[in-house]
Amino acid sequence: MRRLVLDRTHGYGGRYYEGGLFRTFTRTMDHEYELDLLTYRFSLFEDLLWTRASGGYRVYTGSIDYGEFVTESQIKHAVRLGRRGTFHVLGVQEENLRARRFFVEVGYRYQLAPDHQIGVRHTLGMEKDDLDLSLHYIWRSLAEGGVHLELGLLDWTGNFVYHLIANSNRSFDTRQRYLRRPYFLAVEATTPSRWPLRAEVTAGLQRRSRARVDETVARIPGHAGYVTEHLASFYNEEAVRYLGVLLEYTGPLFTLGATYRGSYGAVTRTPGADSTGCWEAASGLGRCYVPYPYDFQSREYTSAFGLHGALRWRRLELRTEWIRAINADRLSGAALPEAYVMPYDFRERRLTGKTRLSYLSPAGFWGALELNLEDRNVRGPRQGGTINLPFRRNFHDQVVPFNRRFTLLLGYRRPRLELTAGVSYDQDGDLYSGWGIPSQWRSKPARFDGGFFRLQLTWP
């Protein structure tokens, strides 16, 4: 979630995407997209090893269509600089149906005392107005049990870049000036790793920001190379908050834990008040304000409670994770974006689950059979036999009542290395459509459900 707050430019649809900050639904998703992510991503058990390592590389790649993979790679490393200083680098390559990004963040920490550090981080990227600076205070470390506080200055170069563009009188696609700057506050806290009862808390808040945006919507050539640009002006307001909590007990033979995850994102887009008039911007360049055609609000909300556990006996291990979530995605307003045929108020109760039975050989090779499933109960009025018809008219095939698959996994495991490959069998056969009724175009079950691999490598 923090990465989404810091990098708006490379989300699906760009910085000013009209379908919500979190991209809960996009046009390119199908009804199995969320199940694909559940199958391919790293589990809570693997995340623990990653969090406690100071350096490492991990990647997952899985099939989502005949010609496309979904993939995400992460690399992190820390280098000591003298007795008190440490340089950190984090890189994330993410290509899926919500984002296409390569996110890089570098930072420096200085040790004031044995348990106290201060630091600074900065993002790197091509867009000059999408750079973020954050200040940090760390008590102990998250790997050993500690607290991490962060104050982020988002898009801190944005208004400077706006004035550069405005003073140059050159052509541009978009320019943005903050009227209320976005600040980001975050906290992370963990218990010491030696404790059998593990607790983690992470929370973040981006206060509501407000920006004036000018967007070039047309360039009209004229006589002798003269060009007239049509600009649409709008005000963009955004706010984000999230919370994550984990409690987990680990004993000699079993692990038992609970999680909570909540998030809220809001976007309000209104036309600029002065969207009229023409003027001579520069020699050979004229500009005219034209009305911005949209006036809408987007709200996204998730509240999810989960249980997970593991049972180990000799060479056998049973792992399970279950999440019960309430999700909401609402689009409303006086003038909706052109891509949306009507307002919608999507609400659902979703159950997702993953259960795996594994056998680990003495040499480190292992095999497993895994069940992945999701049941989605869409709420709303029924019209013409379809629940929540306005949503389904905007997103035709994104949600079906249930998805179930069995996955065969083979892998190799060492203390700092884990390699996994898997292939899935579709138990439900994809016989339902996104309208919540049996599919009218699929007459026989589709059984092969894609393959994937994961690699996680850590170092001290």
Side-chain angles (χ1 to χ4, degrees):
M1 188 60 67
R2 179 181 179 273
R3 189 162 68 239
L4 181 148
V5 173
L6 268 59
D7 183 13
R8 301 286 174 77
T9 301
H10 299 100
Y12 176 90
R15 187 184 188 95
Y16 305 108
Y17 177 62
E18 297 154 347
L21 291 176
F22 300 156
R23 277 74 170 170
T24 302
F25 297 99
T26 66
R27 302 290 182 183
T28 53
M29 294 178 184
D30 66 9
H31 61 279
E32 286 193 324
Y33 181 68
E34 295 295 342
L35 187 66
D36 289 335
L37 295 182
L38 176 69
T39 306
Y40 302 156
R41 282 176 169 169
F42 293 94
S43 69
L44 287 171
F45 303 97
E46 292 149 342
D47 286 341
L48 174 61
L49 298 175
W50 176 258
T51 302
R52 289 180 173 174
S54 63
Y57 171 77
R58 68 176 184 172
V59 58
Y60 73 81
T61 297
S63 172
I64 58 171
D65 204 347
Y66 293 111
E68 286 187 310
F69 289 112
V70 59
T71 185
E72 181 175 328
S73 300
Q74 300 180 52
I75 187 168
K76 62 178 182 178
H77 190 57
V79 179
R80 294 298 300 267
L81 300 176
R83 294 175 54 248
R84 294 177 176 245
T86 307
F87 178 80
H88 295 264
V89 60
L90 169 69
V92 179
Q93 175 251 347
E94 185 179 5
E95 295 186 64
N96 54 45
L97 302 185
R98 290 192 173 102
R100 299 287 176 95
R101 61 166 59 98
F102 185 72
F103 176 84
V104 177
E105 190 175 28
V106 296
Y108 177 78
R109 290 183 185 177
Y110 181 80
Q111 188 173 27
L112 298 173
D115 290 334
H116 302 275
Q117 300 178 68
I118 57 174
V120 61
R121 290 185 189 175
H122 201 285
T123 62
L124 303 177
M126 181 178 180
E127 303 294 333
K128 293 181 179 179
D129 59 351
D130 190 18
L131 298 177
D132 308 304
L133 175 70
S134 57
L135 307 176
H136 299 256
Y137 168 75
I138 304 98
W139 178 69
R140 295 183 178 174
S141 72
L142 295 179
E144 299 171 355
V147 178
H148 185 167
L149 302 177
E150 176 181 5
L151 170 62
L153 312 176
L154 305 183
D155 301 342
W156 70 275
T157 57
N159 283 5
F160 175 72
V161 172
Y162 172 88
H163 289 298
L164 284 179
I165 296 174
N167 294 333
S168 71
N169 286 326
R170 294 181 180 179
S171 296
F172 60 87
D173 293 325
T174 59
R175 62 183 184 187
Q176 173 177 275
R177 178 169 60 91
Y178 279 109
L179 308 176
R180 187 186 304 124
R181 287 183 174 274
Y183 292 101
F184 177 61
L185 300 173
V187 59
E188 294 181 78
T190 63
T191 55
S193 58
R194 65 181 180 275
W195 290 10
L197 181 62
R198 169 185 165 216
E200 294 183 5
V201 176
T202 179
L205 169 68
Q206 182 210 301
R207 76 162 190 171
R208 183 174 294 274
S209 64
R210 179 175 172 84
R212 158 72 180 259
V213 181
D214 296 327
E215 181 179 31
T216 301
V217 296
R219 291 185 173 91
I220 302 174
H223 180 69
Y226 192 90
V227 175
T228 300
E229 295 182 337
H230 287 182
L231 307 182
S233 173
F234 60 88
Y235 293 101
N236 192 60
E237 297 185 12
E238 298 178 348
V240 176
R241 57 180 180 263
Y242 63 87
L243 171 67
V245 179
L246 180 144
L247 292 172
E248 183 181 274
Y249 177 81
T250 300
L253 299 177
F254 71 94
T255 298
L256 185 63
T259 59
Y260 175 78
R261 177 176 55 87
S263 61
Y264 172 80
V267 176
T268 300
R269 191 92 40 96
T270 55
D274 57 349
S275 294
T276 57
C278 297
W279 72 97
E280 191 82 10
S283 177
L285 176 63
R287 286 188 177 134
C288 295
Y289 273 122
V290 298
Y292 182 72
Y294 310 131
D295 186 352
F296 65 93
Q297 305 86 40
S298 170
R299 302 291 185 269
E300 296 165 284
Y301 167 82
T302 292
S303 180
F305 175 77
L307 294 173
H308 64 277
L311 182 64
R312 295 169 290 275
W313 182 71
R314 296 186 179 179
R315 298 261 168 216
L316 296 177
E317 182 182 52
L318 178 67
R319 291 182 179 180
T320 187
E321 301 176 42
W322 296 87
I323 298 174
R324 182 69 168 176
I326 299 174
N327 301 316
D329 184 9
R330 178 186 303 168
L331 182 69
S332 60
L336 299 184
E338 185 178 2
Y340 300 91
V341 297
M342 61 174 60
Y344 63 85
D345 184 5
F346 174 80
R347 289 165 290 141
E348 72 165 350
R349 294 182 183 273
R350 184 192 306 180
L351 175 67
T352 58
K354 175 194 291 284
T355 299
R356 178 199 300 181
L357 179 61
S358 307
Y359 174 79
L360 178 64
S361 73
F365 294 97
W366 60 274
L369 183 63
E370 183 176 271
L371 170 66
N372 293 280
L373 66 85
E374 65 171 3
D375 288 350
R376 307 183 71 168
N377 184 3
V378 177
R379 301 302 182 93
R382 184 182 293 271
Q383 298 171 258
T386 300
I387 299 175
N388 205 327
L389 185 61
F391 166 77
R392 297 185 191 275
R393 283 184 172 171
N394 286 288
F395 298 98
H396 305 299
D397 201 34
Q398 269 79 352
V399 178
V400 296
F402 56 85
N403 278 310
R404 293 177 176 85
R405 65 168 55 140
F406 289 102
T407 303
L408 177 65
L409 302 120
L410 298 174
Y412 179 74
R413 184 185 301 170
R414 277 291 181 256
R416 295 192 174 275
L417 170 67
E418 180 151 357
L419 176 64
T420 305
V423 63
S424 297
Y425 173 86
D426 196 318
Q427 188 271 335
D428 59 83
D430 296 340
L431 294 178
Y432 273 76
S433 73
W435 294 88
I437 59 176
S439 174
Q440 299 179 4
W441 58 270
R442 184 176 290 115
S443 59
K444 60 181 181 178
R447 295 304 185 187
F448 177 69
D449 233 7
F452 69 96
F453 84 94
R454 289 191 297 261
L455 169 67
Q456 179 163 291
L457 175 65
T458 61
W459 49 84

